[in-house]
Amino acid sequence: MPGSPASPTRELAPFLIDPLFVSRVWGYKDLRPWYDHAGRGDGHDSIGEVWLTGDECRVASGAYAGRKLGEVFAAVPEAMLGREAPSAQSPLLVKVIFAREKLSVQVHPDDCMAQKYGEPRGKTECWYALSADEGAQVAAGLRPGVTVDEVRAGIERGTLEQSLNVLPVRRGDMVFVDAGTVHAIWPGSILLETQQNSDTTYRMYDYGRPRELHVEKSLEALRFETRAGLVPPQVLEDRTILIDVEYFRVERIVVKGSRASATLPGPGEARGCLSYLFAAAGSARLSSGGFDPIELAPRAIAAIPAASPAFTIEDLGGLDLVRISPRWPQKAL
Ligand SMILES: [Zn+2]
């Protein structure tokens, strides 16, 4: 019987996920030294996004090696997500964004609007700057007082950038971009993006590139006031909480040699909740008596299922460990 202590979920060990290199017109041909991935030089292989937890990403170790991540959620939702999850689908899409050119100016719908158009969920996201050049900028939100007519005129005349709230971005910054926020990623930084698992983007303005725009839906989705902006870190003794909002929590974890997973309770129920461990720098080993050790290479990610056995994280040198956990909206009583 689901939920009964008499039927505990079988354990599911942490596993590695292979990155999926997604081509984008605004991306780079060569991602080294971040990822050992260089294009073939045929002109159609600029990589802009490295998907770390996409449904199409392949599992790289453990019992489900070779399967797609989305299939693992479908096969063992409770072991992956725990018993509190509102849906059996993968909740978060984590990516690394490599912008050689400006991305489009865009907006994402919230859950309500996405569902109106037949999508499972909207997209609230956040960006953590893994690196940033001097003077790097992003745009999050509209300047105060901008009107819908000004937005429309900006789209038509190619002057929309003037209406955007521009933020300088430095390495280590966290920027929150809730659904409805008009936003743009510009070159100069490498961003770890955590978002609701949705691919719904409404492009408002694309610098004349021949990609489709979605002006009317973007105007329906946009909100003039949002909570977007820089998020101050919450520095604790054993971790730094970079962001903790309704859909996700992102933290930098202090490991200092080695650390037991039991010292890292997640935001969900005490019994366990899905999380991901990402090596922003350096490498780590995850080991336990219950599974073969796995090694987290620089910029690799491991899924820690809700039903993971306890394990130890060991710093193999220079480790900067980021943990990403989904959060569930509070259930109505
Ligand atoms: Zn976006």
Coordinates of all heavy atoms in Angstrom, one line a residue, residues 106-108 123 125 127 177 183 185 193 195 201, ligand 1:
Q106 N 13.3 37.3 -23.8 CA 12.3 36.3 -23.7 C 11.5 36.4 -22.3 O 12.0 37.1 -21.4 CB 12.9 34.9 -23.9 CG 14.0 34.7 -22.9 CD 14.7 33.3 -23.1 OE1 14.4 32.4 -22.4 NE2 15.4 33.2 -24.2
V107 N 10.5 35.6 -22.3 CA 9.7 35.5 -21.1 C 9.1 34.1 -21.0 O 8.9 33.5 -22.1 CB 8.6 36.6 -21.0 CG1 7.6 36.5 -22.1 CG2 7.9 36.6 -19.6
H108 N 9.0 33.5 -19.8 CA 8.4 32.2 -19.7 C 7.0 32.4 -19.0 O 6.9 33.2 -18.1 CB 9.3 31.3 -18.8 CG 10.7 31.2 -19.4 ND1 10.9 30.7 -20.6 CD2 11.8 31.5 -18.8 CE1 12.2 30.7 -20.8 NE2 12.8 31.2 -19.7
K123 N 7.7 28.1 -16.2 CA 9.2 28.0 -16.0 C 9.6 29.2 -15.1 O 9.7 30.3 -15.6 CB 9.9 28.0 -17.3 CG 11.4 27.8 -17.0 CD 12.3 27.3 -18.1 CE 12.0 27.4 -19.6 NZ 13.2 27.0 -20.4
E125 N 13.1 30.2 -13.1 CA 14.4 29.8 -13.2 C 15.4 30.6 -12.4 O 15.0 31.7 -11.8 CB 14.9 29.8 -14.7 CG 14.9 31.1 -15.3 CD 15.1 31.0 -16.8 OE1 14.7 30.0 -17.5 OE2 15.8 31.9 -17.4
W127 N 19.9 31.7 -12.2 CA 21.2 31.6 -12.8 C 22.3 31.8 -11.8 O 22.3 32.8 -11.1 CB 21.4 32.7 -13.9 CG 20.3 32.9 -14.9 CD1 19.5 31.9 -15.4 CD2 19.8 34.1 -15.5 NE1 18.6 32.4 -16.3 CE2 18.8 33.7 -16.3 CE3 20.1 35.4 -15.3 CZ2 18.1 34.7 -17.1 CZ3 19.5 36.4 -16.1 CH2 18.4 36.0 -16.9
V177 N 14.9 34.5 -11.5 CA 14.1 34.9 -12.7 C 12.8 34.2 -12.6 O 12.7 33.0 -13.0 CB 14.8 34.7 -14.0 CG1 14.0 35.2 -15.2 CG2 16.2 35.3 -14.0
H183 N 13.5 38.7 -19.7 CA 14.9 38.6 -19.3 C 15.8 38.3 -20.5 O 15.2 37.9 -21.6 CB 15.1 37.5 -18.3 CG 14.6 36.1 -18.7 ND1 13.3 35.7 -18.6 CD2 15.3 35.1 -19.2 CE1 13.2 34.5 -19.0 NE2 14.4 34.0 -19.4
I185 N 20.0 36.8 -21.4 CA 21.3 36.4 -21.0 C 22.3 36.9 -22.1 O 22.0 36.8 -23.3 CB 21.4 34.9 -20.9 CG1 20.6 34.4 -19.7 CG2 22.9 34.4 -20.8 CD1 20.6 32.9 -19.5
E193 N 22.1 27.1 -14.8 CA 20.7 27.5 -14.8 C 19.9 26.4 -14.2 O 20.0 25.2 -14.7 CB 20.3 27.8 -16.2 CG 18.9 28.3 -16.3 CD 18.5 28.6 -17.8 OE1 18.5 27.7 -18.6 OE2 18.2 29.8 -18.1
Q195 N 16.0 25.3 -13.5 CA 14.6 25.8 -13.9 C 13.6 24.7 -13.7 O 14.0 23.5 -13.7 CB 14.6 26.3 -15.3 CG 15.2 25.4 -16.3 CD 15.4 26.0 -17.7 OE1 15.3 25.3 -18.7 NE2 15.7 27.3 -17.8
T201 N 9.4 28.7 -24.0 CA 10.0 30.1 -24.0 C 9.3 30.9 -25.1 O 9.1 30.5 -26.2 CB 11.5 30.0 -24.5 OG1 12.3 29.3 -23.4 CG2 12.2 31.3 -24.7
Ligands
ZN1 ZN 14.8 32.0 -19.7

